[in-house]
Short mmCIF file of all heavy atoms in Angstrom, two decimals:
data_model
loop_
_atom_site.label_atom_id
_atom_site.label_comp_id
_atom_site.label_asym_id
_atom_site.label_seq_id
_atom_site.Cartn_x
_atom_site.Cartn_y
_atom_site.Cartn_z
N TYR A 806 0.82 -1.21 0.00
CA TYR A 806 0.00 0.00 0.00
C TYR A 806 0.86 1.26 0.00
O TYR A 806 1.82 1.36 0.76
CB TYR A 806 -0.93 0.01 1.21
CG TYR A 806 -1.88 1.19 1.24
CD1 TYR A 806 -2.87 1.32 0.27
CD2 TYR A 806 -1.77 2.18 2.22
CE1 TYR A 806 -3.73 2.39 0.28
CE2 TYR A 806 -2.64 3.26 2.24
CZ TYR A 806 -3.62 3.36 1.26
OH TYR A 806 -4.47 4.43 1.27
N GLN A 807 0.51 2.22 -0.87
CA GLN A 807 1.17 3.51 -0.91
C GLN A 807 0.37 4.50 -0.06
O GLN A 807 -0.72 4.92 -0.45
CB GLN A 807 1.27 4.04 -2.34
CG GLN A 807 2.33 3.36 -3.19
CD GLN A 807 2.43 4.02 -4.55
OE1 GLN A 807 1.72 3.65 -5.48
NE2 GLN A 807 3.31 4.99 -4.67
N VAL A 808 0.92 4.86 1.09
CA VAL A 808 0.24 5.79 2.00
C VAL A 808 0.14 7.16 1.35
O VAL A 808 1.07 7.63 0.68
CB VAL A 808 1.01 5.88 3.33
CG1 VAL A 808 0.39 6.93 4.25
CG2 VAL A 808 1.03 4.51 4.02
N LEU A 809 -1.00 7.81 1.52
CA LEU A 809 -1.22 9.17 1.02
C LEU A 809 -1.50 10.06 2.23
O LEU A 809 -2.45 9.82 2.98
CB LEU A 809 -2.40 9.19 0.06
CG LEU A 809 -2.61 10.47 -0.76
CD1 LEU A 809 -1.41 10.75 -1.65
CD2 LEU A 809 -3.88 10.36 -1.60
N ASP A 810 -0.67 11.06 2.43
CA ASP A 810 -0.79 11.94 3.58
C ASP A 810 -2.20 12.54 3.68
O ASP A 810 -2.74 13.05 2.69
CB ASP A 810 0.23 13.08 3.51
CG ASP A 810 1.65 12.61 3.72
OD1 ASP A 810 1.83 11.49 4.22
OD2 ASP A 810 2.59 13.36 3.37
N GLY A 811 -2.77 12.44 4.88
CA GLY A 811 -4.08 13.01 5.12
C GLY A 811 -5.24 12.18 4.66
O GLY A 811 -6.40 12.59 4.80
N VAL A 812 -4.98 10.99 4.12
CA VAL A 812 -6.04 10.11 3.62
C VAL A 812 -6.00 8.79 4.38
O VAL A 812 -4.95 8.15 4.45
CB VAL A 812 -5.90 9.85 2.10
CG1 VAL A 812 -6.95 8.85 1.63
CG2 VAL A 812 -6.01 11.16 1.33
N GLU A 813 -7.12 8.40 4.95
CA GLU A 813 -7.19 7.15 5.70
C GLU A 813 -7.19 5.96 4.75
O GLU A 813 -7.84 5.99 3.70
CB GLU A 813 -8.45 7.14 6.56
CG GLU A 813 -8.54 5.96 7.50
CD GLU A 813 -9.74 6.05 8.44
OE1 GLU A 813 -10.37 7.12 8.47
OE2 GLU A 813 -10.03 5.05 9.12
N ALA A 814 -6.45 4.93 5.10
CA ALA A 814 -6.37 3.73 4.27
C ALA A 814 -7.74 3.06 4.16
O ALA A 814 -8.58 3.19 5.07
CB ALA A 814 -5.34 2.77 4.83
N PRO A 815 -8.00 2.34 3.09
CA PRO A 815 -9.30 1.69 2.91
C PRO A 815 -9.57 0.61 3.95
O PRO A 815 -8.65 0.03 4.53
CB PRO A 815 -9.21 1.07 1.51
CG PRO A 815 -8.05 1.72 0.85
CD PRO A 815 -7.11 2.10 1.95
N ALA A 816 -10.84 0.34 4.15
CA ALA A 816 -11.28 -0.72 5.05
C ALA A 816 -11.65 -1.96 4.25
O ALA A 816 -11.68 -1.94 3.01
CB ALA A 816 -12.48 -0.24 5.86
N LEU A 817 -11.91 -3.05 4.95
CA LEU A 817 -12.37 -4.29 4.33
C LEU A 817 -13.60 -4.01 3.47
O LEU A 817 -14.51 -3.28 3.87
CB LEU A 817 -12.71 -5.31 5.42
CG LEU A 817 -13.29 -6.64 4.96
CD1 LEU A 817 -12.23 -7.48 4.26
CD2 LEU A 817 -13.87 -7.41 6.15
N LEU A 818 -13.64 -4.61 2.29
CA LEU A 818 -14.76 -4.42 1.37
C LEU A 818 -15.12 -5.77 0.78
O LEU A 818 -14.26 -6.51 0.31
CB LEU A 818 -14.38 -3.43 0.28
CG LEU A 818 -15.45 -3.02 -0.73
CD1 LEU A 818 -15.17 -1.60 -1.24
CD2 LEU A 818 -15.54 -3.98 -1.92
N ILE A 819 -16.41 -6.09 0.80
CA ILE A 819 -16.93 -7.33 0.23
C ILE A 819 -17.93 -6.97 -0.85
O ILE A 819 -18.77 -6.07 -0.67
CB ILE A 819 -17.64 -8.19 1.30
CG1 ILE A 819 -16.73 -8.42 2.51
CG2 ILE A 819 -18.10 -9.52 0.69
CD1 ILE A 819 -15.52 -9.25 2.24
N GLY A 820 -17.86 -7.63 -2.01
CA GLY A 820 -18.78 -7.30 -3.09
C GLY A 820 -19.13 -8.48 -3.97
O GLY A 820 -18.58 -9.58 -3.84
N ASP A 821 -20.05 -8.23 -4.89
CA ASP A 821 -20.50 -9.21 -5.89
C ASP A 821 -20.50 -8.50 -7.23
O ASP A 821 -21.26 -7.54 -7.43
CB ASP A 821 -21.90 -9.71 -5.54
CG ASP A 821 -22.42 -10.78 -6.51
OD1 ASP A 821 -21.93 -10.84 -7.65
OD2 ASP A 821 -23.34 -11.52 -6.12
N GLU A 822 -19.65 -8.96 -8.15
CA GLU A 822 -19.50 -8.28 -9.43
C GLU A 822 -20.80 -8.17 -10.20
O GLU A 822 -21.05 -7.17 -10.88
CB GLU A 822 -18.45 -9.02 -10.27
CG GLU A 822 -18.05 -8.32 -11.57
CD GLU A 822 -18.74 -8.90 -12.80
OE1 GLU A 822 -19.38 -9.95 -12.66
OE2 GLU A 822 -18.63 -8.29 -13.87
N THR A 823 -21.67 -9.15 -10.08
CA THR A 823 -22.93 -9.14 -10.84
C THR A 823 -23.89 -8.07 -10.33
O THR A 823 -24.85 -7.72 -11.02
CB THR A 823 -23.63 -10.51 -10.78
OG1 THR A 823 -23.98 -10.81 -9.42
CG2 THR A 823 -22.72 -11.60 -11.32
N LYS A 824 -23.64 -7.54 -9.13
CA LYS A 824 -24.52 -6.51 -8.56
C LYS A 824 -23.94 -5.10 -8.70
O LYS A 824 -24.55 -4.13 -8.24
CB LYS A 824 -24.81 -6.82 -7.10
CG LYS A 824 -25.57 -8.13 -6.91
CD LYS A 824 -25.82 -8.44 -5.45
CE LYS A 824 -26.57 -9.76 -5.28
NZ LYS A 824 -26.78 -10.12 -3.85
N VAL A 825 -22.77 -4.99 -9.31
CA VAL A 825 -22.15 -3.68 -9.53
C VAL A 825 -22.71 -3.07 -10.81
O VAL A 825 -22.78 -3.73 -11.85
CB VAL A 825 -20.62 -3.81 -9.65
CG1 VAL A 825 -19.98 -2.47 -9.99
CG2 VAL A 825 -20.03 -4.36 -8.35
N ALA A 826 -23.14 -1.81 -10.73
CA ALA A 826 -23.68 -1.14 -11.91
C ALA A 826 -22.59 -0.99 -12.96
O ALA A 826 -21.45 -0.66 -12.65
CB ALA A 826 -24.23 0.23 -11.51
N SER A 827 -22.95 -1.24 -14.21
CA SER A 827 -22.00 -1.09 -15.31
C SER A 827 -22.25 0.22 -16.03
O SER A 827 -23.34 0.79 -15.98
CB SER A 827 -22.10 -2.27 -16.28
OG SER A 827 -23.36 -2.27 -16.94
N ALA A 828 -21.21 0.69 -16.73
CA ALA A 828 -21.31 1.93 -17.50
C ALA A 828 -20.66 1.72 -18.85
O ALA A 828 -19.66 1.01 -18.98
CB ALA A 828 -20.63 3.06 -16.75
N ALA A 829 -21.22 2.35 -19.86
CA ALA A 829 -20.66 2.27 -21.21
C ALA A 829 -19.33 3.03 -21.25
O ALA A 829 -19.23 4.14 -20.73
CB ALA A 829 -21.64 2.84 -22.22
N LEU A 830 -18.33 2.42 -21.86
CA LEU A 830 -17.03 3.08 -21.98
C LEU A 830 -17.07 4.05 -23.16
O LEU A 830 -17.35 3.65 -24.30
CB LEU A 830 -15.92 2.05 -22.19
CG LEU A 830 -14.51 2.62 -22.28
CD1 LEU A 830 -14.09 3.25 -20.95
CD2 LEU A 830 -13.50 1.55 -22.68
N ASN A 831 -16.82 5.32 -22.89
CA ASN A 831 -16.82 6.36 -23.92
C ASN A 831 -18.12 6.37 -24.73
O ASN A 831 -18.12 6.64 -25.94
CB ASN A 831 -15.62 6.19 -24.86
CG ASN A 831 -14.30 6.36 -24.14
OD1 ASN A 831 -14.19 7.14 -23.19
ND2 ASN A 831 -13.29 5.61 -24.57
N GLY A 832 -19.23 6.04 -24.04
CA GLY A 832 -20.53 6.09 -24.69
C GLY A 832 -20.88 4.90 -25.55
O GLY A 832 -21.96 4.86 -26.15
N ASP A 833 -20.01 3.88 -25.61
CA ASP A 833 -20.25 2.69 -26.43
C ASP A 833 -21.01 1.66 -25.60
O ASP A 833 -20.43 1.02 -24.71
CB ASP A 833 -18.92 2.12 -26.92
CG ASP A 833 -19.10 0.96 -27.88
OD1 ASP A 833 -20.23 0.46 -28.03
OD2 ASP A 833 -18.09 0.52 -28.47
N GLU A 834 -22.29 1.48 -25.87
CA GLU A 834 -23.12 0.56 -25.09
C GLU A 834 -22.71 -0.89 -25.27
O GLU A 834 -23.08 -1.75 -24.46
CB GLU A 834 -24.60 0.73 -25.47
CG GLU A 834 -25.19 2.08 -25.10
CD GLU A 834 -25.23 2.31 -23.59
OE1 GLU A 834 -25.32 1.31 -22.85
OE2 GLU A 834 -25.18 3.48 -23.17
N ASP A 835 -21.94 -1.20 -26.29
CA ASP A 835 -21.47 -2.57 -26.52
C ASP A 835 -20.23 -2.91 -25.71
O ASP A 835 -19.73 -4.03 -25.77
CB ASP A 835 -21.17 -2.80 -28.01
CG ASP A 835 -22.43 -2.80 -28.85
OD1 ASP A 835 -23.53 -3.03 -28.29
OD2 ASP A 835 -22.32 -2.58 -30.07
N LEU A 836 -19.72 -1.92 -24.96
CA LEU A 836 -18.53 -2.13 -24.14
C LEU A 836 -18.83 -1.59 -22.74
O LEU A 836 -18.91 -0.38 -22.54
CB LEU A 836 -17.34 -1.39 -24.77
CG LEU A 836 -15.92 -1.87 -24.45
CD1 LEU A 836 -14.89 -1.08 -25.24
CD2 LEU A 836 -15.60 -1.82 -22.97
N GLN A 837 -19.00 -2.50 -21.80
CA GLN A 837 -19.45 -2.14 -20.46
C GLN A 837 -18.34 -2.38 -19.42
O GLN A 837 -17.65 -3.39 -19.46
CB GLN A 837 -20.68 -2.96 -20.07
CG GLN A 837 -21.90 -2.69 -20.93
CD GLN A 837 -22.53 -1.34 -20.63
OE1 GLN A 837 -22.61 -0.92 -19.47
NE2 GLN A 837 -23.00 -0.66 -21.67
N VAL A 838 -18.21 -1.42 -18.50
CA VAL A 838 -17.20 -1.48 -17.45
C VAL A 838 -17.89 -1.55 -16.09
O VAL A 838 -18.81 -0.77 -15.82
CB VAL A 838 -16.27 -0.24 -17.49
CG1 VAL A 838 -15.21 -0.35 -16.39
CG2 VAL A 838 -15.64 -0.10 -18.85
N ARG A 839 -17.43 -2.46 -15.24
CA ARG A 839 -17.90 -2.52 -13.86
C ARG A 839 -16.71 -2.27 -12.94
O ARG A 839 -15.78 -3.09 -12.86
CB ARG A 839 -18.50 -3.89 -13.54
CG ARG A 839 -19.90 -4.11 -14.09
CD ARG A 839 -20.52 -5.37 -13.48
NE ARG A 839 -21.93 -5.48 -13.77
CZ ARG A 839 -22.46 -6.21 -14.76
NH1 ARG A 839 -21.65 -6.90 -15.54
NH2 ARG A 839 -23.76 -6.25 -14.94
N PRO A 840 -16.69 -1.14 -12.22
CA PRO A 840 -15.60 -0.87 -11.27
C PRO A 840 -15.85 -1.60 -9.95
O PRO A 840 -16.88 -1.41 -9.31
CB PRO A 840 -15.67 0.65 -11.09
CG PRO A 840 -17.12 0.98 -11.35
CD PRO A 840 -17.63 -0.01 -12.34
N LEU A 841 -14.92 -2.45 -9.56
CA LEU A 841 -15.12 -3.28 -8.37
C LEU A 841 -14.64 -2.60 -7.09
O LEU A 841 -14.99 -3.05 -5.99
CB LEU A 841 -14.43 -4.64 -8.54
CG LEU A 841 -14.84 -5.42 -9.81
CD1 LEU A 841 -14.25 -6.82 -9.77
CD2 LEU A 841 -16.35 -5.47 -9.98
N LEU A 842 -13.85 -1.55 -7.21
CA LEU A 842 -13.40 -0.78 -6.05
C LEU A 842 -13.83 0.68 -6.21
O LEU A 842 -13.93 1.18 -7.32
CB LEU A 842 -11.88 -0.85 -5.91
CG LEU A 842 -11.27 -2.23 -5.63
CD1 LEU A 842 -9.75 -2.14 -5.58
CD2 LEU A 842 -11.81 -2.80 -4.32
N PRO A 843 -14.08 1.36 -5.09
CA PRO A 843 -14.44 2.78 -5.18
C PRO A 843 -13.33 3.60 -5.84
O PRO A 843 -12.15 3.24 -5.79
CB PRO A 843 -14.62 3.19 -3.70
CG PRO A 843 -14.90 1.90 -2.99
CD PRO A 843 -14.12 0.85 -3.71
#
C-alpha cells in the first residue's frame, strides 16, 4: 500500500461483481465497465 498523507487507508470491502452497476465506456453501449473498487 502507498500511504497518502491526510487520507485514511481503505477498510475491508466485500462485493458481488454481478450486482455492480455497469457503465458504457466512452458512450459505447457494446462495451461495459464494472468498477469493483471505489
